[in-house]
Amino acid sequence: MRAKDSATANTRVAVRTSPRTAATALPASSEAVPSAPAHRSGTLQAALGVTAFSLTFPATAWGLEGFGPWSLVAVRSVLAAVIAGGCLLALRIPLPVRRHWTGLAVVAAGVVLGFPLLTTLALETSTTAHAAVVVGLLPLTTALFSALRTGARPSRTFWVAAVAGAAAVIAFTVQQSGGALTSADAYLFGALLICAAGYTEGGRLSRVMPGWQVVGWALVLCLPLTVPGALIALSQEPVHLTAHSVTGLLWVAAGSQFLGLVVWYRGMAAIGIPKASQLQLAQPLLTLVWSVLLLGEHLTPAAPLTAAAVLICIAVTQRTRD
């Protein structure tokens, strides 16, 4: 890490001593604008992350068929940390510098512990359709956190499209759940806030270190809590291993908790947190599709209309410039 910092420092000195480079150098703010290939690659990676996340709620519902909520969350975090820690050890990745540990703690609290736990507790009494409300609000909340944390200032068009897309998703998911508010709403609202903070901090850190390392170190950081938590939960909650429960556990651990976050943070680093967050507007609709295929839930005719509205909003947000 120090060698890399030293190399970076030398490069900056070389830039200052080159008159031609200095005359044509772009302002610092332009570093946030990716090239066309980088933007396409970042968008694709963020979209893959959204696809992985869209399977989280159905997989969690499967996992709850054989595990208690506390057991499922703790064990998934431990398994994901084992995968991430193995990668970090195999590649001999050095520890992050001290100034990054606070941000990693926010990522750990938001996306490793807080969001999985609160949404899992909500899914005990809520359908996946109702729980998708929190995902519908997440892009807008993440953009707000980003504006506060990183100083990002998206255009007015961006905000109008973002709010319109969020409104469409909320209307659809509330209609799917019959318009009723349940006791799970408190869990979902808390999950929304803490996950948005974790996404924002993770996206910021992914600009200075690889996204998979951000996820990996956040997972490893939680091991002192998740290992004893898993042991206690497994001793208190009954476990019934079935094909569904094991498959759900493995997916939320490897797919949602690690691989999905890796490509998601890489995408955010490439195209920016606000724009990447808007791709998540499609996540509730994807979740509902998986719910039909995997859980046997039924959709209303409003689904294709909402999908079209969301895709239009995504197209607008992706075309606007920060």
Side-chain angles (χ1 to χ4, degrees):
M1 181 67 72
R2 290 182 179 176
K4 182 177 180 181
D5 293 340
S6 176
T8 303
N10 291 337
T11 301
R12 290 176 178 171
V13 171
V15 169
R16 292 193 185 101
T17 58
S18 174
R20 182 175 181 180
T21 304
T24 59
L26 295 174
S29 60
S30 66
E31 294 177 0
V33 181
S35 64
H39 190 279
R40 286 193 295 269
S41 176
T43 300
L44 176 60
Q45 291 181 88
L48 289 174
V50 170
T51 303
F53 299 153
S54 70
L55 281 161
T56 299
F57 286 172
T60 299
W62 274 9
L64 287 172
E65 294 179 11
F67 295 90
W70 295 90
S71 299
L72 182 61
V73 173
V75 172
R76 70 180 272 187
S77 296
V78 171
L79 291 178
V82 170
I83 297 172
C87 294
L88 292 169
L89 286 175
L91 296 176
R92 298 182 179 180
I93 304 299
L95 289 172
V97 295
R98 183 176 299 178
R99 68 178 181 274
H100 294 328
W101 281 106
T102 300
L104 289 171
V106 175
V107 175
V111 302
V112 175
L113 296 178
F115 187 79
L117 176 60
L118 292 174
T119 54
T120 299
L121 291 173
L123 285 172
E124 280 200 299
T125 58
S126 172
T127 64
T128 56
H130 187 78
V133 172
V134 68
V135 181
L137 289 173
L138 190 55
L140 182 59
T141 309
T142 302
L144 289 171
F145 270 79
S146 173
L148 295 174
R149 181 67 178 87
T150 68
R153 293 295 182 268
S155 67
R156 182 177 299 178
T157 303
F158 177 96
W159 286 116
V160 171
V163 171
V169 170
I170 293 170
F172 177 67
T173 50
V174 169
Q175 186 271 337
Q176 285 286 296
S177 63
L181 297 178
T182 68
S183 59
D185 290 327
Y187 291 133
L188 296 173
F189 183 72
L192 167 69
L193 296 178
I194 197 170
C195 187
Y199 277 174
T200 300
E201 200 64 24
R204 187 187 66 83
L205 287 174
S206 294
R207 293 182 179 272
V208 296
M209 60 191 298
W212 76 270
Q213 292 182 26
V214 174
V215 179
W217 288 118
L219 287 164
V220 171
L221 185 64
C222 291
L223 280 175
L225 294 175
T226 55
V227 169
L231 295 175
I232 295 173
L234 288 172
S235 67
Q236 299 295 319
E237 295 177 335
V239 175
H240 304 287
L241 297 182
T242 64
H244 275 183
S245 63
V246 173
T247 301
L249 171 63
L250 292 178
W251 177 257
V252 294
S256 303
Q257 195 88 60
F258 182 64
L259 297 177
L261 285 173
V262 168
V263 292
W264 173 242
Y265 281 141
R266 284 176 62 91
M268 281 201 293
I271 65 176
I273 298 172
K275 287 188 178 181
S277 70
Q278 298 314 299
L279 292 175
Q280 276 197 307
L281 286 169
Q283 185 175 326
L285 303 180
L286 289 174
T287 297
L288 291 172
V289 172
W290 297 126
S291 298
V292 170
L293 297 177
L294 302 177
L295 304 177
E297 295 185 5
H298 299 283
L299 299 181
T300 66
L305 295 177
T306 306
V310 168
L311 290 176
I312 292 173
C313 292
I314 291 175
V316 173
T317 59
Q318 293 303 298
R319 288 180 178 276
T320 59
R321 291 185 178 271
D322 293 346

